[in-house]
Amino acid sequence: HGTNKHYLIPELGGTVVGQGEPAKVARRKMTGLSNKVFEELAVDVYDEVDRRETDALWNKTESGGSQASVLVPFLPVNPDYSATRNQGRQKLARLTPQEFSALVVDVLKEVRRRQVEIDSARGVSTTAVKYSPSNELSQTLTKLNLSSTLGCRASTLSDDEPLYDSV
């Protein structure tokens, strides 16, 4: 966060879905959405990511049993949302994993574009520095003069290990 880089956007490898004209039109439409509608789309995409990950985890743990795999076919209807939004949320489940991945990346890129606009309007400099949690920790410890106090070097800390004791 110290470099104003608040999110990481994955690169899609292999054959990229969504390079054709329909995908370009869809991206232009996404760019034209109001902030409120775009926020709703981002929330719905996040909910679908959560549903897919939960299904995958559930099926992985249940695969040893004799039960048929449990699958939630789409996001449940939310009575607080309009019928159109609920239908859109359910249509997200029809996307293939490749199509959905492309949508997630497009949404993340649009978030970045909108954030850059907001930052430039506020006069905040945005730089394209590659984010590294361990480097950022090292810089923070150096700024706070804590690296020698803690008796460790930030570079020896692994990003994969928790910084807290297990319970």
Coordinates of all heavy atoms in Angstrom, one line a residue, residues 8 30 38 49-50 55 62 79 93-94 103 112 116 124 133:
L8 N -3.6 -6.7 -6.9 CA -2.8 -7.4 -8.0 C -3.7 -8.0 -9.0 O -4.7 -8.7 -8.6 CB -2.0 -8.5 -7.3 CG -1.0 -8.1 -6.3 CD1 -0.3 -9.3 -5.6 CD2 0.1 -7.2 -6.9
M30 N -18.8 -2.0 -19.9 CA -18.4 -2.0 -18.5 C -17.8 -0.6 -18.1 O -18.0 -0.1 -17.0 CB -17.4 -3.1 -18.2 CG -17.1 -3.2 -16.7 SD -15.8 -4.4 -16.3 CE -16.2 -5.9 -17.2
F38 N -21.5 -0.4 -11.4 CA -20.2 -1.2 -11.5 C -19.9 -1.8 -10.1 O -19.4 -3.0 -10.1 CB -19.0 -0.3 -11.9 CG -17.7 -1.0 -12.0 CD1 -17.5 -2.0 -13.0 CD2 -16.8 -0.8 -11.0 CE1 -16.3 -2.7 -13.0 CE2 -15.6 -1.5 -11.1 CZ -15.4 -2.5 -12.1
V49 N -17.3 -15.8 -7.4 CA -16.0 -16.4 -7.1 C -16.1 -17.2 -5.8 O -15.6 -18.4 -5.7 CB -14.9 -15.3 -7.0 CG1 -13.6 -15.9 -6.4 CG2 -14.6 -14.7 -8.3
D50 N -16.7 -16.6 -4.8 CA -16.8 -17.3 -3.5 C -17.6 -18.6 -3.6 O -17.3 -19.6 -3.1 CB -17.5 -16.3 -2.5 CG -17.5 -16.9 -1.1 OD1 -16.4 -17.4 -0.6 OD2 -18.5 -16.7 -0.4
D55 N -17.8 -24.4 -3.6 CA -18.2 -25.6 -4.3 C -17.0 -26.5 -4.5 O -17.1 -27.7 -4.2 CB -18.9 -25.3 -5.6 CG -20.4 -25.0 -5.5 OD1 -20.9 -25.0 -4.3 OD2 -21.0 -24.6 -6.5
E62 N -15.8 -33.9 0.1 CA -16.9 -34.9 0.0 C -16.6 -36.0 -1.1 O -17.3 -37.0 -1.2 CB -18.2 -34.3 -0.4 CG -18.8 -33.4 0.7 CD -19.1 -34.2 2.0 OE1 -19.7 -35.3 1.8 OE2 -18.8 -33.7 3.1
P79 N -33.5 -11.4 -1.7 CA -34.7 -10.6 -1.8 C -34.5 -9.1 -1.8 O -35.4 -8.3 -2.2 CB -35.5 -11.1 -0.6 CG -34.5 -11.7 0.3 CD -33.4 -12.2 -0.5
A93 N -23.1 -18.0 -13.3 CA -22.8 -19.4 -13.1 C -22.7 -20.2 -14.4 O -22.1 -21.2 -14.5 CB -23.8 -20.1 -12.2
R94 N -23.3 -19.6 -15.5 CA -23.3 -20.3 -16.8 C -21.9 -20.1 -17.5 O -21.7 -20.7 -18.5 CB -24.4 -19.8 -17.7 CG -25.8 -20.2 -17.1 CD -27.0 -19.8 -17.8 NE -26.8 -19.4 -19.2 CZ -27.6 -18.7 -19.9 NH1 -28.7 -18.2 -19.4 NH2 -27.3 -18.5 -21.2
L103 N -13.6 -12.5 -17.2 CA -14.5 -11.4 -16.6 C -13.9 -10.9 -15.3 O -13.9 -9.7 -15.1 CB -15.9 -12.0 -16.3 CG -16.9 -11.1 -15.6 CD1 -17.2 -9.8 -16.4 CD2 -18.1 -11.8 -15.2
R112 N -8.9 -0.9 -11.4 CA -7.6 -0.1 -11.5 C -7.8 1.2 -12.3 O -7.3 2.2 -11.8 CB -6.5 -1.0 -12.1 CG -5.2 -0.3 -12.2 CD -4.1 -1.1 -12.7 NE -4.5 -1.6 -14.0 CZ -3.9 -2.6 -14.6 NH1 -2.8 -3.2 -14.1 NH2 -4.2 -3.0 -15.8
V116 N -7.2 4.9 -10.7 CA -6.2 5.8 -11.2 C -6.9 7.1 -11.5 O -6.3 8.2 -11.2 CB -5.5 5.2 -12.5 CG1 -4.7 6.2 -13.3 CG2 -4.6 4.0 -12.1
V124 N -2.9 12.3 -6.3 CA -2.1 11.2 -5.7 C -1.3 10.6 -6.9 O -1.9 10.2 -7.9 CB -2.9 10.2 -5.0 CG1 -2.1 9.0 -4.5 CG2 -3.7 10.8 -3.9
P133 N 5.1 -8.2 -0.7 CA 4.9 -8.0 0.8 C 6.2 -8.0 1.6 O 6.3 -7.2 2.5 CB 4.0 -9.2 1.1 CG 3.4 -9.6 -0.2 CD 4.4 -9.3 -1.2

